[in-house]
Every structure is written in C-alpha cells, then in structure tokens.
Amino acid sequence: MTLDEVILELYRLAETKEWDDKASGEALAAAIEGMEQIWTLRQADMRKTARAQGLKKQPRIWS
C-alpha cells in the first residue's frame, strides 16, 4: 500500500466514520491520528533533507 492509498483510506474513514462496519467517533479519531502521524513524518523528512543540503559544500563562483 502506497502512502497516497493510506491517505485516501484515512479520508474515507474520516468521512464515513465507519470502522469494522460500525459507525463511531473512534473511527474519526483514528483517521485524524493517522493523518497527524503522516504529517509529522513528512515534516521530519523535510527537515532532514534540508539539513543535508545545507551541509553540502557550495560551489564557488569566480567573477
């Protein structure tokens, strides 16, 4: 399952509020928690990438 498929499934879960064939607020809470986890992981990955690019030696430009 790809990340996009997971996000779509979480949106479906949040819209229908149905989990294990039962409608509940617990389904909505699980969907929101899943989306927050994905957002947190993406933010950490972006910071890691930015830090690695910042450490690269910048080329000199001779004028």
Side-chain angles (χ1 to χ4, degrees):
M1 187 176 258
T2 67
L3 185 59
D4 291 333
E5 291 171 337
V6 171
I7 292 171
L8 286 174
E9 185 64 20
L10 289 171
Y11 276 117
R12 184 204 61 78
L13 185 64
E15 285 179 352
T16 62
K17 297 182 184 173
E18 192 172 300
W19 195 8
D20 293 334
D21 298 325
K22 297 177 188 172
S24 70
E26 196 175 326
L28 182 59
I32 291 170
E33 185 177 329
M35 287 185 224
E36 287 175 348
Q37 283 285 66
I38 291 170
W39 183 79
T40 302
L41 290 172
R42 282 191 171 182
Q43 291 295 315
D45 189 42
M46 286 172 43
R47 281 189 214 108
K48 182 179 171 184
T49 302
R51 193 176 309 129
Q53 288 178 352
L55 295 176
K56 288 183 180 178
K57 187 176 180 182
Q58 296 295 319
R60 288 189 177 179
I61 299 175
W62 298 95
S63 52

